[in-house]
Amino acid sequence: MTATTLTSDRLDRLTDLVERFELTTLAARLDAARQLVAEPERLTVAVLGQFKAGKSSLLNSLSGTRLLPVLAVPATAVVTSIRHADRPAATVSFGDGRRIQITDDEIADYVVEQRNPNNVRGVARVELATTGLATLPDLTFVDTPGLGSAYAHNTATSLGWLPQAGTVILAVSATQPLGAEDLELLQRLTPHTPHIVLVVTKADLVTRADLDQVLGFVAGQVGQQTGRELPVVAWSVLSDREDLRADLLAYLTDELQARHRQLAEILLDYRLRSLEADCRTYLGLALGAAEADEQARLRLTALLDAERARFPRLRAEVRTLVRQRLGGVRQNAEAEAVRVRDTITWELSTRLEAALPTWQGSLADESARFRAWLTANLQEVCSDLPLRDPAWLAAQLEPARGPLDGLAQGFAQRLGLAVQEALGIELQPPSVAAEAPAPLPPDITLNPVFDSHLELLSWLIPMRLVRPIMHRHFRRQLPWEVEKNLLRLAYASATRLGQAMDELAEAYLAAMDDQLATWDRLSRPDDGHESGVGSIRQALHALAPTPAP
């Protein structure tokens, strides 16, 4: 039997089992495995990382293009792939199945959040082909929305896209190397791929000595926190810094491109083994329930029903946890607004003094100019504030994610203990994990500077006499406008975070509900499932571990 036939048989077997036993919790990972089989000649290289880690810039510099937008605000809004081709092309696929060809100049209209907010165009993915990747013809690179911006609305989030990741480049900035979110992401990648390389971007912004320390720190933290020894290399977008580019180029060429078929086989086997292990757990439950006597089955049913009955209390625990964390989020947002208030006020006051002498017009004209000037300048100075930085917003969710993970794992352990108590068998339930879109950065809005009825009568007011008074009003108004809008921004940030926490909590509850429903179905052999002892034993025998490739 050839390796291809064996793989096809394993995939067909898993598909049959997932459908027969309604193992819905494994569906997404099974779809990802099917995609690997459908494209055996190409290896997907997903570029992941936090917002501003330099992912799009890395891919642009690798391909020698500027196809992927790079902005000071979150740019990538949908998952975008880029690969080598003899002729350049750009294709947009929509959720309804439509596909259109676009020009390079139109790419940003579909992949940039500002031009496609909340993915209102319904884009499923954007596929780019370029002649600039001729040395890596069998690799498909995938640019994902920055974690923390999480703007892949049609693909849930970058985290929701993880099952499709083949090999992963995890980009971390040399100026902000390897935070807790990056280490958590490494843990979440484990079920999906063994092939991960950490790339320290923006390496040209630090000295060689500092860079060596950063590389050592990243490698040490990864080893300490994950127990894995992963390659860590530097990268610079500057083409003349070969000393900072050689290691990644060598890895891509010698490790991925040269071995892409072998790596694809290893990756597929890795995923199939993970799926088979979880299938064995589920089938072990089904077999235990089918072989147990009526009293044991009734005991298990009672324990699972009790867990179901706990769900309202579990939901209340989750809601209480979210409310508790939200209070701290509001305090953090308000503290951040106060921290930057004086600095922004001084900066805008300096700019205002330079602008005032150039303003000449009626009360309405100068009021409009001040409002437009204030809006533009506040937008500029606030655009990079943590209150609008998706990475900062996402970090505020982490205090809630930890306890939610704890509740979910406690829930999974209780399911395992219920089976052990009722049936006398030890099973390790698959872990329960959930994701939800991260909060979108809030907008900056301003109120009119003067009341509208004064502006309507402004033609009656002699500006030569009142201009100094009006300009003094602008100066006095500025600190108030800064404080008011910063507090409004803090409130809007906290509101977005509250919505994101609610969505995350619901995602965890839905994942736990799905897990419980699966265990409940498998524990009831008389509910119409093909769960006879012989059938289950045959399925378990078919899932016997296969030799590693």
Side-chain angles (χ1 to χ4, degrees), residues 21-87:
F21 292 93
E22 300 181 43
L23 307 181
T24 54
T25 57
L26 305 181
R29 288 159 57 193
L30 185 60
D31 287 342
R34 287 197 196 98
Q35 184 175 343
L36 272 179
V37 174
E39 299 181 359
E41 298 301 314
R42 302 200 66 84
L43 184 65
T44 299
V45 183
V47 183
L48 299 169
Q50 303 299 317
F51 168 53
K52 289 186 179 180
K55 301 178 301 299
S56 297
S57 296
L58 186 156
L59 288 177
N60 281 339
S61 61
L62 273 177
S63 62
T65 70
R66 290 193 59 81
L67 293 175
L68 299 171
V70 179
L71 303 175
V73 295
T76 309
V78 298
V79 172
T80 307
S81 68
I82 181 169
R83 61 180 177 82
H84 171 74
D86 294 333
R87 300 180 64 179

Side-chain angles (χ1 to χ4, degrees), residues 248-297:
L248 178 59
L249 292 173
Y251 178 85
L252 294 174
T253 304
D254 301 338
E255 180 67 18
L256 300 190
Q257 173 59 39
R259 301 177 58 227
H260 73 277
R261 288 187 178 86
Q262 179 186 358
L263 292 176
E265 292 175 2
I266 293 172
L267 175 63
L268 180 57
D269 179 75
Y270 182 87
R271 291 184 175 175
L272 291 178
R273 286 174 181 276
S274 177
L275 282 164
E276 288 164 347
D278 285 347
C279 266
R280 282 194 291 272
T281 295
Y282 286 127
L283 291 177
L285 168 63
L287 180 62
E291 291 183 329
D293 57 35
E294 185 66 19
Q295 185 176 1
R297 282 200 298 269

